[in-house]
């Protein structure tokens, strides 16, 4: 298949590009498009054939459900059933934006899209290209991240091209995304609203709206019997080919431990790299350093993480040592992804 690549300026949308991409969606074909979180791989959510094509293009296990993207809050009640008030309150507060709500599904939503579940994930994105495409195609768009399953989610069109060229009908290149981490997923089918995947909307922000809210205990558990509720959070994800280790603790102790480990690797003839904050990166001169962004601008760290994980593979890095980035607002989401990428290998110093 030849993949058509269409460029667009999100601040000055060319309607003819949106029309062309919408035609593919209407025909049941797949279109990758930018959202404010990461690039999505979109298909008609009500067309089981399109859903199957999404799983095939990504190599995604078919029990891992897709998020349905809508362009108006009113569409939530066309897809979901028994929707609690908390869902509407959260929608009012954070839509359009990086938040996905899990509610009971209506019968019209195919099980191919929900991975066989009776619940459905719904999001109203804020990105102008995403919203224009949903509206123009007159469909709800099922869109997981547009990466090959297991790889980091794409935050630039070049990442999508790496993974999807030749596998899908069309890629809309709208430049780099804004947030760089996937949406916060909130389950509203439990007594207490529960975060199944941390994102830019954090627990404190959710609690401000709903009063009570919890984190899925499966996210943190070392016990493999307590598994994350979101099927996608159970899979190996984001991991670079090299071995990634997170070093945490007092700043100076972390720096010297990382330098010692790098020296050991160099002596053993291994290709080694460091992931460091802008504040500390200069301490690693002489080593291959990826500056992930400033701790004082934590959004930068979120935005750069997946690009760095991809670049580590491009450079065939064998051993990677990363600082910890437990920043106040997006830190939980950043560390959730980094810990998965590291296979939970952490050394405290
Ligand atoms: P992605 O679209 O690639 O960001 O992945 C979607 C995420 O949403 C995965 O982790 C899914 O397991 C999760 N998800 C989608 N639908 C549901 C649902 N009905 N219940 C729980 N998790 C869901
Ligand atoms: Mg994904």
């Amino acid at each position: 298949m030849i993949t058509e690549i269409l460029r667009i300026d999100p601040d000055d949308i060319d309607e003819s590009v949106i029309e062309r991409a919408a035609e593919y969606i209407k025909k049941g074909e797949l279109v990758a498009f930018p959202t404010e979180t990461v690039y999505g791989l979109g298909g008609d959510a009500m067309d089981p054939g399109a859903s199957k094509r999404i799983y095939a293009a990504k190599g995604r296990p078919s029990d891992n459900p897709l998020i349905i993207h809508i362009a108006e809050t009113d569409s939530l009640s066309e897809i979901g059933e028994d929707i609690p008030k908390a869902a509407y309150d959260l929608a009012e507060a954070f839509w359009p934006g990086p938040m996905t709500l899990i509610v009971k599904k209506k019968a019209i939503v195919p099980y191919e899209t929900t991975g066989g579940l009776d619940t459905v994930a719904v999001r109203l994105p804020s990105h102008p290209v995403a919203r224009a495409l949903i509206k123009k195609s007159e469909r709800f768009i099922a869109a997981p991240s547009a990466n090959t399953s297991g790889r980091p989610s794409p935050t630039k069109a070049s990442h999508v091209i790496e993974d999807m060229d030749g596998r899908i009908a069309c890629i809309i290149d709208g430049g780099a995304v804004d947030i760089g981490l996937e949406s916060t997923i909130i389950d509203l089918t439990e007594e207490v609203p529960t975060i199944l995947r941390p994102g830019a909307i954090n627990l404190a922000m959710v609690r401000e709206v709903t009063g009570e809210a919890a984190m899925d205990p499966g996210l943190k558990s070392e016990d493999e019997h307590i598994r994350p509720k979101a099927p996608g959070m159970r899979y190996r994800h984001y991991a670079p080919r090299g071995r990634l280790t997170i070093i945490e603790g007092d700043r100076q102790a972390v720096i010297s431990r990382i330098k010692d480990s790098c020296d050991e690797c160099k002596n053993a003839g291994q290709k080694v790299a460091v992931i460091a904050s802008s504040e500390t990166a200069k301490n690693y001169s002489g080593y291959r350093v990826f500056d992930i962004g400033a701790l004082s601008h934590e959004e930068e760290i979120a935005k750069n993480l997946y690009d760095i994980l991809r670049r580590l593979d491009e450079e065939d890095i064998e051993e990677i040592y990363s600082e910890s980035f437990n920043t106040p607002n997006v830190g939980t989401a950043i560390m959730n992804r980094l810990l998965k990428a590291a296979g939970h290998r952490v050394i405290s110093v």
Side-chain angles (χ1 to χ4, degrees), residues 259-271:
K259 285 165 77 171
D260 288 348
S261 298
C262 286
D263 286 336
E264 278 170 29
C265 292
K266 274 194 166 175
N267 292 337
Q270 286 174 310
K271 270 189 115 172

Side-chain angles (χ1 to χ4, degrees), residues 96-123:
M99 176 188 71
T100 297
L101 300 178
I102 309 279
V103 293
K104 260 178 75 178
K105 86 171 188 72
K106 275 222 162 106
I108 52 157
V109 181
Y111 281 115
E112 282 79 0
T113 301
T114 66
L117 298 177
D118 288 314
T119 54
V120 62
V122 187
R123 181 163 98 86

